[in-house]
């Protein structure tokens, strides 16, 4: 029997809001799919485009970046930077031929455990419907020229 | 060129002037001072392009007290504006003379502004507002585009030529050399090499196209960065290579960008 496709989703959660939100979802015993792998970062603003693109390269089917709501950043303005940077990265990977729906930016506060579970559920379903991510790796075996 | 540069040097307005000298029939960027001012040539249009502002930046870093003059094309003047904005060069330490590009060079570059604001030599050719290469790429279906880019990134030999020739790549420490972010000893490098460089070009690239010209693997980098410029203009309403404004990526927070509170 063939195993159904289970997407791998990498999530960068900010320490002050979204990680605490995920924690709240946990202690509230909210159910959400186990496809998500969490990387805890001090601020969503520390997530470099390197990390997002690297994740896709290493076989992530989806990447989620979550931080505090605009105006609530622990470092005051870190998430302004996240917003600018990630909006740009999303458009760039679209131009590179990668489905931008595999990438999502969300604002989740520490009180929004329900929202966290919802976002993960929704995103997992979305990525599942998109299927396995195409390889993002330039490899010497790839046929030249198309 | 002879008279204007000689005048600048003799009046002491500049300590050195970066112009061109013909060597074996090819114009080559040369630093002129009072000593070799007699070697200056008459200006004539030519097609060779060099990262002159990068040479200027290196000179200015070595001689912080000195004032330099430079002969620039449209793209080189744009790169000067960017270097001023990013606090790499001081505007009062640079004197600019400008030359227009030839018409076929403008067509080849698909250049939006093939002449500098400060135009001293030559006649301004017509700007080329649209890039045919970019339009072809955008018309391509998404999956084909991914394969198209990968087939090009595939040839990368990781010489860092695109970065080294880039007039607005002024960082002294480069994340493309970070061994964990871009794994070492891997050829071709991860496609993140080019995509991350493209992100770093956002709000800086002035579309001179030297990266593509210098690339030994012939990767069509210019199309990538032209698109980056379009994105920055569409998303942030910011144009690179103009004297005023500041890159949206150089400011930490822009309050007017978004209202506060949950959305």
């Amino acid at each position: 029997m063939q195993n159904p496709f289970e997407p791998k989703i990498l999530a960068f959660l900010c320490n002050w809001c979204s990680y605490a939100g995920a924690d709240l979802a946990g202690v509230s015993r909210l159910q959400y799919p186990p496809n998500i792998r969490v990387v805890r970062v001090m601020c969503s603003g520390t997530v470099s485009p390197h990390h997002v693109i690297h994740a896709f390269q290493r076989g992530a089917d989806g990447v989620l970046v979550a931080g505090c709501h605009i105006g609530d950043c622990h470092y005051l303005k870190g998430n302004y930077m996240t917003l600018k940077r990630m909006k740009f990265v999303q458009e760039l990977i679209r131009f590179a031929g990668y489905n931008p729906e595999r990438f999502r930016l969300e604002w989740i506060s520490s009180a929004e455990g329900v929202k966290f579970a919802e976002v993960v559920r929704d995103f997992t379903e979305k990525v599942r419907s998109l299927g396995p991510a195409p390889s993002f790796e330039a490899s010497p075996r790839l046929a030249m020229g198309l | 060129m002879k008279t204007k540069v000689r005048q600048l040097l003799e009046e002491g307005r500049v300590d050195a002037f970066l112009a061109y000298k013909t060597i074996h029939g090819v114009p080559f960027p040369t630093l002129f001072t009072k000593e070799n001012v007699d070697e200056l040539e008459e200006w004539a249009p030519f097609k060779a392009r060099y990262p002159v502002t990068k040479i200027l930046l290196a000179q200015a870093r070595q001689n912080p007290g000195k004032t330099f003059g430079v002969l620039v094309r449209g793209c080189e003047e744009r790169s000067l504006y960017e270097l001023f904005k990013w606090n790499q060069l001081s505007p009062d330490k640079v004197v600019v003379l400008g030359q227009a590009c030839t018409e076929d060079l403008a067509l080849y570059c698909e250049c939006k502004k093939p002449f500098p604001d400060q135009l001293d030599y030559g006649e301004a050719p017509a700007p080329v507002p649209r890039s045919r290469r970019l339009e072809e790429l955008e018309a391509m279906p998404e999956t084909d585009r991914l394969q198209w880019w990968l087939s090009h990134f595939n040839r990368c030999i990781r010489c860092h030529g695109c970065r080294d020739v880039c007039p607005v790549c002024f960082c002294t420490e480069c994340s493309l050399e970070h061994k964990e972010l871009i794994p070492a000893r891997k050829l071709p490098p991860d496609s993140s090499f080019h995509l991350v460089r493209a992100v770093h070009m956002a709000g800086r690239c002035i579309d001179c196209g030297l990266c593509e010209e210098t690339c030994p693997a012939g990767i069509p980098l210019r199309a990538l960065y032209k698109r980056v410029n379009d994105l920055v203009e569409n998303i942030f309403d910011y144009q690179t290579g103009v004297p005023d404004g500041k890159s949206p990526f150089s400011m930490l927070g822009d309050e007017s960008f978004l209202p506060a509170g949950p959305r």
Side-chain angles (χ1 to χ4, degrees), chain B residues 107 110-112 127-135 226:
Chain B
L107 284 174
E110 299 180 328
C111 183
K112 282 182 184 167
V128 186
R130 289 164 64 197
S131 167
R132 195 176 47 82
R133 277 175 276 184
L134 192 59
E135 280 169 10
K226 266 187 196 282

Side-chain angles (χ1 to χ4, degrees), chain A residues 84-85 87-89 91-92, chain B residues 82 85-86 112 134 138 197-206 224-242 246-251 257:
Chain A
K84 289 180 187 181
R85 203 180 278 152
K87 182 142 179 55
F88 182 80
V89 168
E91 290 300 317
L92 185 73
Chain B
E82 282 305 308
K85 279 193 264 182
W86 289 89
K112 282 182 184 167
L134 192 59
E138 274 164 357
R197 203 181 117 73
V199 177
H200 288 187
M201 280 296 103
R204 283 205 227 174
C205 177
I206 38 86
L224 184 64
Y225 301 143
K226 266 187 196 282
R227 178 70 183 149
V228 163
N229 279 344
D230 285 355
L231 282 179
V232 170
E233 209 176 327
N234 294 344
I235 301 176
F236 304 109
D237 197 20
Y238 172 72
Q239 248 189 332
T240 53
V242 290
K246 234 179 159 197
S247 160
F249 295 102
S250 70
M251 297 177 282
F257 190 62

Side-chain angles (χ1 to χ4, degrees), chain B residues 96-144:
Chain B
V96 175
L97 290 184
Q99 61 171 339
C101 289
T102 57
E103 198 160 341
D104 46 345
L105 189 57
L107 284 174
Y108 163 75
C109 287
E110 299 180 328
C111 183
K112 282 182 184 167
K113 189 171 168 289
F115 51 87
D117 290 337
Q118 166 78 33
L119 186 57
D120 296 276
Y121 302 102
E123 293 216 350
V128 186
R130 289 164 64 197
S131 167
R132 195 176 47 82
R133 277 175 276 184
L134 192 59
E135 280 169 10
E136 272 171 19
L137 249 179
E138 274 164 357
M140 215 183 258
E142 214 164 68
T143 44
D144 287 3

Side-chain angles (χ1 to χ4, degrees), chain B residues 1-11 13-14 17 37-43 97 120-121:
Chain B
M1 188 161 83
K2 232 171 173 170
T3 44
K4 277 192 186 176
V5 176
R6 180 185 282 273
Q7 205 179 349
L8 285 175
L9 282 166
E10 278 172 358
E11 283 174 5
R13 284 188 55 209
V14 296
F17 194 95
V37 70
D38 294 326
E39 291 170 27
L40 274 165
E41 295 161 12
E42 288 299 329
W43 182 82
L97 290 184
D120 296 276
Y121 302 102

Side-chain angles (χ1 to χ4, degrees), chain B:
Chain B
M1 188 161 83
K2 232 171 173 170
T3 44
K4 277 192 186 176
V5 176
R6 180 185 282 273
Q7 205 179 349
L8 285 175
L9 282 166
E10 278 172 358
E11 283 174 5
R13 284 188 55 209
V14 296
D15 294 301
F17 194 95
L18 188 58
Y20 298 86
K21 193 167 131 181
T22 310
I23 300 174
H24 299 307
V26 181
F28 202 77
T30 311
L31 206 58
F32 291 95
T33 54
K34 269 185 190 160
E35 281 83 61
N36 59 353
V37 70
D38 294 326
E39 291 170 27
L40 274 165
E41 295 161 12
E42 288 299 329
W43 182 82
F46 60 94
K47 282 188 217 162
R49 296 190 303 131
Y50 298 92
V52 280
T53 46
K54 191 137 198 173
I55 301 170
L56 180 75
L57 180 63
Q59 286 291 337
R61 279 179 176 168
Q62 281 166 20
N63 311 288
K66 290 197 170 154
T67 308
F68 289 91
V70 63
L71 179 66
V72 292
R73 293 181 186 278
C75 49
E76 292 154 2
E77 189 186 51
R78 294 199 293 275
S79 72
L80 269 184
Y81 288 148
E82 282 305 308
L83 291 171
F84 293 155
K85 279 193 264 182
W86 289 89
N87 299 323
Q88 298 300 309
L89 277 176
S90 160
D92 49 334
K93 293 273 179 211
V94 181
V95 177
V96 175
L97 290 184
Q99 61 171 339
C101 289
T102 57
E103 198 160 341
D104 46 345
L105 189 57
L107 284 174
Y108 163 75
C109 287
E110 299 180 328
C111 183
K112 282 182 184 167
K113 189 171 168 289
F115 51 87
D117 290 337
Q118 166 78 33
L119 186 57
D120 296 276
Y121 302 102
E123 293 216 350
V128 186
R130 289 164 64 197
S131 167
R132 195 176 47 82
R133 277 175 276 184
L134 192 59
E135 280 169 10
E136 272 171 19
L137 249 179
E138 274 164 357
M140 215 183 258
E142 214 164 68
T143 44
D144 287 3
R145 206 155 57 207
L146 181 66
Q147 288 309 310
W148 190 84
W149 277 118
L150 288 182
S151 73
H152 283 296
F153 291 163
N154 212 11
R155 295 196 303 271
C156 180
I157 57 166
R158 202 193 187 131
C159 63
H160 287 113
C162 45
R163 179 201 64 181
D164 292 343
V165 80
C166 180
V168 290
C169 260
F170 49 73
C171 304
T172 47
E173 219 171 278
C174 181
S175 74
L176 294 178
E177 285 173 16
H178 194 290
K179 285 189 178 57
E180 260 97 54
L181 291 174
I182 308 281
R185 298 193 211 131
K186 188 163 174 256
L187 265 185
D190 289 340
S191 40
S192 66
F193 182 96
H194 295 285
L195 293 180
V196 168
R197 203 181 117 73
V199 177
H200 288 187
M201 280 296 103
R204 283 205 227 174
C205 177
I206 38 86
D207 188 30
C208 66
L210 286 172
C211 43
E212 184 173 307
E213 263 170 47
T214 206
C215 181
I219 301 171
L221 292 166
R222 196 167 195 171
L224 184 64
Y225 301 143
K226 266 187 196 282
R227 178 70 183 149
V228 163
N229 279 344
D230 285 355
L231 282 179
V232 170
E233 209 176 327
N234 294 344
I235 301 176
F236 304 109
D237 197 20
Y238 172 72
Q239 248 189 332
T240 53
V242 290
D244 47 330
K246 234 179 159 197
S247 160
F249 295 102
S250 70
M251 297 177 282
L252 246 185
D254 183 356
E255 240 101 355
S256 62
F257 190 62
L258 262 188
R263 285 175 309 124

